[in-house]
Amino acid sequence: MTCDFHGWVFDSEGQLADVPGEELFGDFDKSKLGLKKVSVDVWGGFIFINLDPEPSVSLKEYLKPLNDSYDKYLGNKDWTWSYGWRAKFNANWKLLVDAQIEGYHVDQTHRNTIAGAIPGSYAPADAYPESIGVPARVCAYRPEEMTGVQTDVALLSAKHGATSLYTKSENEFTAKDGEGVLSDHPLWIFDAYLLFPNVVLFIQKGQILVQRTLPISPSECLWEVDFFHTGELEDFGQLFNSEQGRIQIRDVLTEDLYTAEGIQMNFNAGVIKEIQINKQEIAIRAFYHRLMSAVKGTGESK
Amino acid sequence: MSQAIARPDISDIEVEINLWALPTTEERLVKRMNSTMEEINAFHYAMLPKLPAIIDYLNQFQLADLVGDDLKLSRAALAMCEVDNAVYKWKAPVLGTGIDSLRMIKKSGFSDRVIL
């Protein structure tokens, strides 16, 4: 492979093989200038890169309690990237993670979009104190009696697919491989796992969402979300369902992001110095506990 | 073989279809944001009674086979997804409790590295 900067050539083992104008350098030992080693592993169809050349734990160990069944379900080759968005936000990266791992905010923050579709009390969370890389998850269930607004358009969409998180599809998605991973609960919508530190992985029937957040500064971050589906859209019903689901999640996300920037403004003003986290937000507690242990360098996951 | 579904009569709503049959989600988003509620409601309530029949009609074709007037009709139908929340939940063209949707830049792939 050739570096696009100066044309240095490396062989398949990462050793420096050729340098244009090598005589221009003085004391020059190509054997010491190979590519830096990093660790690469694959899980759930995603490639993970670890800058530590010799990690103390394997990726598989890091991602427990996500197990081989999830690896098989997510790694199914039928999943293909469908669409996604990126944005720069004036908020600390952690605030954008927070919003995706608790359901306490849903009824109020999303009062103009999905309130009633996933009440906060239908979003139980679990903490995994023994896990190194998956501190917590939050689940989402539909209430037995829907109290949110289910429009004609949403109900028409639900006849043709399951890409809306907020309207029950008339079609059942059957998982190829990895059977048994997905909840059999008739009202279950999705599980959202926090992959420490900055990835939230939403797993549902027929759709995967991956949200990643990267810090730029204490009060700025890059945020992106990607959607994966199985197979190409073939008919208009599927396209209509995809469009309706895409727009619903887009509008909901704009509310989460609006809130995150508002919280950051409060912090910037110096007025708000601490926040209260309740029992329903246990995933946030687990996130910050894990984060603080990492910052302190204790390596504790509990 | 199932019987072909006839094209619904949309002659009375052609004006609205022509206004909202924009090619992309992003263009339909901008159209909604720049419209008045009167314009949004006019489109929505003109299309709504015919939408089930329009979807059934369009759904009998492969997407790649939608061209001409049928492609235009499909885009207008998709615009119904764009205006749905404005009509029933916000009662306004733009959500007042969210960031500007246009700040969310459409990606071209998982590893899209477009400079923001």
Side-chain angles (χ1 to χ4, degrees):
Chain A
M1 65 195 86
T2 303
C3 175
D4 284 344
F5 193 15
H6 296 106
W8 290 23
V9 179
F10 301 87
D11 67 20
S12 59
E13 298 298 318
Q15 295 299 310
L16 181 56
D18 184 62
V19 175
E22 186 175 340
E23 68 281 3
L24 297 172
F25 295 87
D27 185 12
F28 199 74
D29 183 355
K30 288 209 293 283
S31 68
K32 295 179 179 176
L33 294 171
L35 295 175
K36 302 298 181 187
K37 186 179 177 184
V38 298
S39 297
V40 178
D41 207 345
V42 176
W43 182 89
F46 294 101
I47 299 169
F48 289 75
I49 299 171
N50 188 337
L51 298 183
D52 184 345
E54 296 179 0
S56 57
V57 296
S58 68
L59 177 63
K60 186 176 179 181
E61 183 72 16
Y62 188 85
L63 291 176
K64 283 183 178 178
L66 294 170
N67 55 34
D68 290 342
S69 295
Y70 282 98
D71 186 4
K72 198 173 178 183
Y73 177 64
L74 299 172
N76 188 307
K77 61 179 175 52
D78 288 345
W79 291 112
T80 53
W81 183 89
S82 301
Y83 54 88
W85 297 286
R86 300 184 76 212
K88 180 181 172 185
F89 286 103
N90 298 315
N92 184 278
W93 66 278
K94 297 188 293 298
L95 295 174
L96 275 71
V97 175
D98 293 350
Q100 305 305 322
I101 57 172
E102 55 88 2
Y104 179 57
H105 74 285
V106 173
D107 282 342
Q108 183 62 22
T109 299
H110 302 303
R111 60 193 178 281
N112 292 318
T113 49
I114 57 163
I118 310 175
S121 56
Y122 283 73
D126 296 298
Y128 303 113
E130 304 298 328
S131 176
I132 302 169
V134 186
R137 75 164 177 182
V138 62
C139 311
Y141 294 86
R142 292 189 174 86
E144 290 82 357
E145 297 292 331
M146 298 289 281
T147 56
V149 177
Q150 291 292 322
T151 67
D152 291 332
V153 168
L155 296 174
L156 280 170
S157 162
K159 293 178 183 293
H160 299 282
T163 56
S164 172
L165 298 174
Y166 317 114
T167 304
K168 183 168 176 55
S169 172
E170 293 186 16
N171 294 343
E172 269 303 304
F173 175 83
T174 303
K176 292 179 184 174
D177 300 325
E179 288 282 7
V181 172
L182 302 176
S183 170
D184 288 330
H185 193 291
L187 300 173
W188 176 77
I189 307 171
F190 64 80
D191 290 350
Y193 288 87
L194 169 61
L195 310 187
F196 184 78
N198 65 337
V199 176
V200 182
L201 172 64
F202 291 76
I203 301 172
Q204 67 175 107
K205 294 180 178 178
Q207 183 167 256
I208 299 170
L209 283 72
V210 181
Q211 177 178 285
R212 296 175 287 170
T213 313
L214 288 171
I216 298 173
S217 73
S219 58
E220 296 174 293
C221 67
L222 285 176
W223 165 92
E224 56 192 315
V225 62
D226 295 275
F227 294 75
F228 295 82
H229 298 97
T230 53
E232 298 290 322
L233 300 175
E234 294 180 350
D235 60 43
F236 182 75
Q238 293 172 353
L239 176 62
F240 190 81
N241 175 261
S242 173
E243 184 77 355
Q244 195 267 344
R246 177 190 320 212
I247 288 170
Q248 290 302 308
I249 188 73
R250 181 199 68 199
D251 290 345
V252 168
L253 287 169
T254 67
E255 294 176 309
D256 285 327
L257 300 166
Y258 179 79
T259 306
E261 289 195 333
I263 296 169
Q264 185 65 51
M265 290 170 71
N266 279 328
F267 282 136
N268 291 347
V271 177
I272 304 295
K273 300 185 189 306
E274 61 181 35
I275 54 177
Q276 309 301 315
I277 304 294
N278 70 24
K279 292 178 182 176
Q280 197 178 346
E281 299 168 298
I282 191 172
I284 293 181
R285 289 178 175 229
F287 172 35
Y288 284 88
H289 201 278
R290 179 71 185 88
L291 183 69
M292 292 310 294
S293 70
V295 170
K296 291 175 184 172
T298 60
E300 296 173 5
S301 61
K302 294 183 181 177
Chain B
M1 186 175 174
S2 59
Q3 200 167 4
I5 299 171
R7 197 172 199 273
D9 178 10
I10 53 168
S11 56
D12 57 332
I13 59 171
E14 285 281 7
V15 173
E16 295 295 341
I17 289 172
N18 286 334
L19 287 171
W20 287 85
L22 299 166
T24 67
T25 305
E26 290 68 34
E27 289 169 277
R28 295 188 288 267
L29 165 64
V30 171
K31 169 72 174 170
R32 188 253 294 161
M33 294 174 76
N34 291 333
S35 297
T36 65
M37 272 319 291
E38 289 72 24
E39 292 166 336
I40 291 170
N41 282 329
F43 167 67
H44 174 82
Y45 288 108
M47 282 285 287
L48 188 61
K50 297 177 187 269
L51 188 59
I54 290 172
I55 293 174
D56 286 345
Y57 168 71
L58 294 171
N59 200 39
Q60 65 188 324
F61 307 114
Q62 294 288 300
L63 284 177
D65 295 333
L66 288 177
V67 294
D69 286 345
D70 284 345
L71 181 60
K72 184 168 73 173
L73 184 59
S74 74
R75 290 168 172 172
L78 293 175
M80 287 293 280
C81 299
E82 185 59 58
V83 303
D84 202 36
N85 281 337
V87 172
Y88 290 101
K89 297 177 180 177
W90 314 333
K91 315 293 185 189
V94 177
L95 173 61
T97 52
I99 62 158
D100 180 350
S101 301
L102 297 176
R103 289 177 61 190
M104 294 167 61
I105 308 300
K106 183 182 175 184
K107 295 180 63 175
S108 61
F110 183 68
S111 301
D112 184 340
R113 296 263 67 88
V114 172
I115 303 295
L116 296 173

